[in-house]
Amino acid sequence: MTQIEDLTIKEARKLLDSKEISAKELTEGALLQIEDKNKELNIYLEVYDDILEQAKLAQKIIDQGDSKDLTGIPLAIKDNILIKGKKASAASKILENYKATYTATAAKKILEQNGIFIGRTNMDEFAMGGSTENSAFGVTRNPHDPEKVAGGSSGGSAAAVAANMALGALGSDTGGSIREPASFCGCVGLKPTYGSVSRYGLMAMGSSLDVIGPITKSVADAEIIFNVIKGQDKYDSTSHIPVRHDGKSVGSLQDSSRDLRIGVPYHLLEQDGISREVKENFEESVEKLKNLGFEIKDIKLPNIDKSLTIYYIIMPAEVSSNMARYDGIKYGLSLDGNPSTPLRTSNLMEVYKKTRGEGLGPEVRRRIILGTYVLSAGYYDAYYGKAMAAREVIKNEFNKAFNEVNVVLTPTAPTPAWKIGEKTSPLENYLADIFTVTANIAGIPAISIPSGFAKINDKDLPIGIQLMSAHGNENVLFEIGKNFLGETT
Amino acid sequence: MSISKEDIKKLADLARIEMTEKEIEKLSTEIDDILDYIGQISHFTKASRDEFDENQIRNVMREDESDPEKPDSREELIGEFPEREGDYLKVKKIL
């Protein structure tokens, strides 16, 4: 029998439709992997109890010949995306027992096709982190080496795909949270154009940066999920059908893919903190793309190195505002101010402070404090105002670059997955986002594609490259990505 | 730039987060390091607020009315209340 580890979504679709495999068999294949490895790797926080019923329903639709792209496909969902009636905790104590009261648009679109959500995956609390070490429910281990992090914040989603516990997964990306774990786990991760996928039902972190996207085994699979979840949604006023910056309509590629030009900002690779393995792998990847017939051009993005600074101002500012809703009043954890006083004598302020003090983890608290600081009177112009202006400069630099090249190529992360517990200061962790935050700042789409391995202590750790393109030009990323991985198009 | 323990205490107060002395102390060092890093933005002379095109961001308004297409979640919302009296949300006294 065909095993789940041998299948992509595209291949599984064919086997499901030709009745060579059933939705139940496919789902049970994922469950078997979960039983075998989830305890050790801590990938799923919960496996839903209705998946076999979901599989039965999907099978009925397949049998009727009405299947769509994701009918009967077992998928994982990040713990910050809502499905009505199911728990969604964002890996936080403050929402440990929260049950979603509505369904996210992206999840709804998959459920309407009878895709099967197997369970919710571990993450950095409220998506704040790059290693899943900030989860209130323990770290997710990397399937390639359990001593290493899976990356984050969508670490559980990437690890679920890498460990064959699902054929694909939904993650969310604010500064690299889909792409970095995808690169650490050897998967494909797509951060779509800002606004191309509705954020309705995604727990907000940095609202001007957040986007939902897929993590998969192949570029073709990422494209399949993206095409299902994208689209304008009246419940997210920032969602839209993207128009290219030069006003040309976004459509299928007219020119032969060989005419696509890849820009490489080599000056970015001269920074400190980029590992030898990543640099070597990047050089090899550039060579490979050259050999595939793509034109490589050295480009300059003079202010791109300021991206991380801009990001760590705008993001905490938005975090501090968005986290205000978790106050212990309407839902989630609610702690009484002073346990020694009778219930009725403690006041509202004590409930807020106690609930947030105990319910939110250290990284979340740190970012709230930082955000409160940069937004406070006297500092607003020096930080937030300046960062917003600098954000425009970055956007313009990219717009200019995309007049010359179709995509910009960088490594996805400066290093392969690090050892669990190795990074001790917050700043050290933040520096891992150096290549990924730019796409969120500019709102452009970006994809991480597996490009090889680094041999570290006898273990092969995956490395990824990142391709970024102009607003709405995901199709260029798919085209080059498929070529790079040798996927038949 | 240096941020004092008092500053952190004030920020924690504003953000409605209870913190221990130990955490405040640790946080003031960490936030200091981060502020050192993001303080680089001050050298970014190219960007001024004039360059920020406010026209690109506009507000999207809608009528304040219930959406008939939206599934009714009343029961589920009430079910998530930490404390309730009948269908009312129960809160502690304000002062």
Side-chain angles (χ1 to χ4, degrees):
Chain A
M1 202 189 87
T2 319
Q3 303 287 314
I4 184 166
E5 49 263 49
D6 305 325
L7 294 176
T8 61
I9 292 173
K10 202 174 156 188
E11 290 158 353
R13 171 84 277 123
K14 277 190 203 137
L15 295 180
L16 283 168
D17 289 345
S18 63
K19 312 287 163 62
E20 282 165 79
I21 195 169
S22 70
K24 186 167 174 262
E25 282 167 337
L26 208 52
T27 309
E28 281 172 344
L31 281 176
L32 221 59
Q33 302 287 339
I34 293 169
E35 274 165 37
D36 191 29
K37 289 179 287 190
N38 197 54
K39 214 169 176 172
E40 184 201 356
L41 301 175
N42 197 28
I43 291 171
Y44 282 96
L45 292 175
E46 180 188 356
V47 174
Y48 299 136
D49 55 11
D50 63 345
I51 46 180
L52 290 176
E53 285 160 53
Q54 285 190 56
K56 214 170 166 182
L57 220 69
Q59 191 60 49
K60 218 172 122 190
I61 288 158
I62 295 167
D63 290 343
Q64 289 165 358
D66 292 331
S67 71
K68 299 208 173 70
D69 286 337
L70 297 176
T71 312
I73 302 289
L75 302 167
I77 190 164
K78 190 174 178 179
D79 195 28
N80 61 349
I81 303 171
L82 310 187
I83 300 175
K84 187 172 178 171
K86 302 216 186 293
K87 276 188 188 173
S89 79
S92 178
K93 289 274 179 216
I94 212 164
L95 291 179
E96 189 169 3
N97 296 306
Y98 171 73
K99 266 196 190 142
T101 55
Y102 62 99
T103 300
T105 301
K108 188 166 161 258
K109 287 178 177 230
I110 289 175
L111 290 169
E112 278 169 357
Q113 292 205 349
N114 289 85
I116 300 166
F117 283 119
I118 298 267
R120 55 189 174 99
T121 53
N122 200 10
M123 55 186 281
D124 285 294
E125 183 178 358
F126 284 109
M128 297 180 204
S131 65
T132 320
E133 290 171 294
N134 296 331
S135 166
F137 307 111
V139 68
T140 292
R141 294 176 177 274
N142 193 314
H144 292 269
D145 176 2
E147 296 298 304
K148 301 289 193 302
V149 299
S153 66
S154 312
S157 285
V161 175
N164 298 300
M165 296 180 180
L167 284 179
L170 288 186
S172 67
D173 193 311
T174 306
S177 282
I178 286 174
R179 291 158 286 158
E180 187 242 31
S183 89
F184 283 7
C185 292
C187 304
V188 172
L190 172 73
K191 171 234 172 286
T193 304
Y194 177 76
S196 64
V197 179
S198 170
R199 290 180 291 117
Y200 182 68
L202 167 68
M203 292 182 202
M205 176 187 161
S207 303
S208 77
L209 306 156
D210 296 340
V211 65
I212 294 176
I215 297 175
T216 52
K217 290 184 195 173
S218 72
V219 175
D221 284 2
E223 186 177 13
I224 289 169
I225 295 182
F226 172 64
N227 283 330
V228 173
I229 61 176
K230 72 178 181 186
Q232 195 162 19
D233 178 17
K234 68 172 175 173
Y235 300 128
D236 172 4
S237 65
T238 60
S239 70
H240 62 284
I241 294 154
V243 180
R244 260 167 53 164
H245 69 93
D246 54 8
K248 283 181 200 151
S249 66
V250 179
S252 58
L253 291 173
Q254 297 295 317
D255 312 318
S256 144
S257 70
R258 292 294 183 268
D259 294 333
L260 292 172
R261 207 180 289 163
I262 300 172
V264 182
Y266 280 105
H267 62 99
L268 260 189
L269 287 141
E270 285 153 21
Q271 308 174 80
D272 293 338
I274 303 166
S275 81
R276 183 178 50 84
E277 292 88 353
V278 166
K279 277 186 184 165
E280 282 172 8
N281 176 272
F282 187 73
E283 290 302 326
E284 287 164 23
S285 303
V286 171
E287 274 311 302
K288 186 173 170 184
L289 286 162
K290 242 185 234 170
N291 292 336
L292 285 167
F294 295 106
E295 187 188 335
I296 307 286
K297 192 173 184 309
D298 186 1
I299 58 160
K300 296 263 179 302
L301 294 158
N303 285 296
I304 195 176
D305 59 337
K306 318 282 194 307
S307 298
L308 202 66
T309 308
I310 299 168
Y311 179 73
Y312 276 95
I313 293 170
I314 292 175
M315 178 274 294
E318 295 184 7
V319 160
S320 72
S321 312
N322 276 323
M323 291 297 124
R325 75 194 62 175
Y326 307 107
D327 59 1
I329 304 300
K330 296 183 290 299
Y331 52 84
L333 181 77
S334 183
L335 294 174
D336 205 350
N338 186 348
S340 65
T341 52
L343 206 66
R344 274 163 224 292
T345 58
S346 87
N347 68 31
L348 203 59
M349 186 64 102
E350 286 170 344
V351 176
Y352 292 153
K353 287 191 172 176
K354 192 95 181 166
T355 303
R356 290 164 65 77
E358 289 190 20
L360 299 171
E363 179 61 20
V364 177
R365 295 204 295 264
R366 194 177 294 126
R367 293 193 191 190
I368 292 174
I369 296 294
L370 189 61
T372 309
Y373 179 82
V374 299
L375 289 178
S376 55
Y379 297 108
Y380 181 92
D381 280 330
Y383 290 105
Y384 192 75
K386 202 121 195 191
M388 286 304 276
R391 185 179 191 171
E392 288 306 304
V393 172
I394 300 275
K395 275 188 197 168
N396 291 336
E397 277 182 15
F398 268 102
N399 283 345
K400 252 184 237 155
F402 289 131
N403 288 329
E404 285 179 59
V405 296
N406 299 88
V407 298
V408 173
L409 174 72
T410 69
T412 305
T415 65
W418 57 84
K419 204 163 176 257
I420 292 166
E422 180 184 281
K423 288 191 197 282
T424 48
S425 84
L427 200 57
E428 229 183 317
N429 278 289
Y430 298 172
L431 292 173
D433 302 340
I434 196 127
F435 295 118
T436 47
V437 294
T438 336
N440 302 78
I441 285 169
I444 55 177
I447 197 167
S448 177
I449 296 163
S451 57
F453 295 89
K455 193 135 206 115
I456 291 169
N457 297 336
D458 261 3
K459 293 269 169 65
D460 285 324
L461 291 180
I463 295 178
I465 52 164
Q466 172 180 240
L467 294 164
M468 298 178 264
S469 65
H471 291 100
N473 278 11
E474 278 84 356
N475 52 357
V476 185
L477 304 180
F478 298 144
E479 182 72 25
I480 299 176
K482 283 178 198 168
N483 264 291
F484 184 79
L485 291 183
E487 291 177 27
T488 47
T489 45
Chain B
M1 185 183 294
S2 174
I3 194 159
S4 71
K5 271 167 55 180
E6 285 311 306
D7 293 332
I8 298 286
K9 228 178 247 176
K10 179 148 187 281
L11 292 167
D13 242 17
L14 285 170
R16 311 281 189 255
I17 298 173
E18 190 178 270
M19 278 187 199
T20 61
E21 279 296 320
K22 215 176 135 192
E23 186 179 4
I24 288 170
E25 187 143 358
K26 189 163 175 259
L27 212 52
S28 64
T29 328
E30 288 169 347
I31 298 276
D32 240 6
D33 286 348
I34 299 167
L35 287 178
D36 262 355
Y37 184 79
I38 63 174
Q40 291 175 41
I41 197 81
S42 66
H43 306 304
F44 197 57
T45 44
K46 206 174 159 193
S48 72
R49 288 202 72 190
D50 308 333
E51 225 169 300
F52 177 48
D53 182 4
E54 311 255 347
N55 291 327
Q56 286 190 7
I57 297 175
R58 65 199 158 76
N59 211 353
V60 180
M61 310 292 275
R62 64 169 175 84
E63 291 304 318
D64 184 18
E65 55 194 15
S66 72
D67 181 346
E69 282 174 47
K70 232 174 179 174
D72 186 7
S73 300
R74 189 173 178 277
E75 286 308 315
E76 288 85 354
L77 286 166
I78 291 172
E80 288 301 317
F81 288 174
E83 260 199 281
R84 60 191 277 194
E85 217 171 272
D87 280 353
Y88 290 101
L89 171 68
K90 198 173 164 189
V91 293
K92 300 285 183 293
K93 62 179 181 179
I94 309 293
L95 288 170

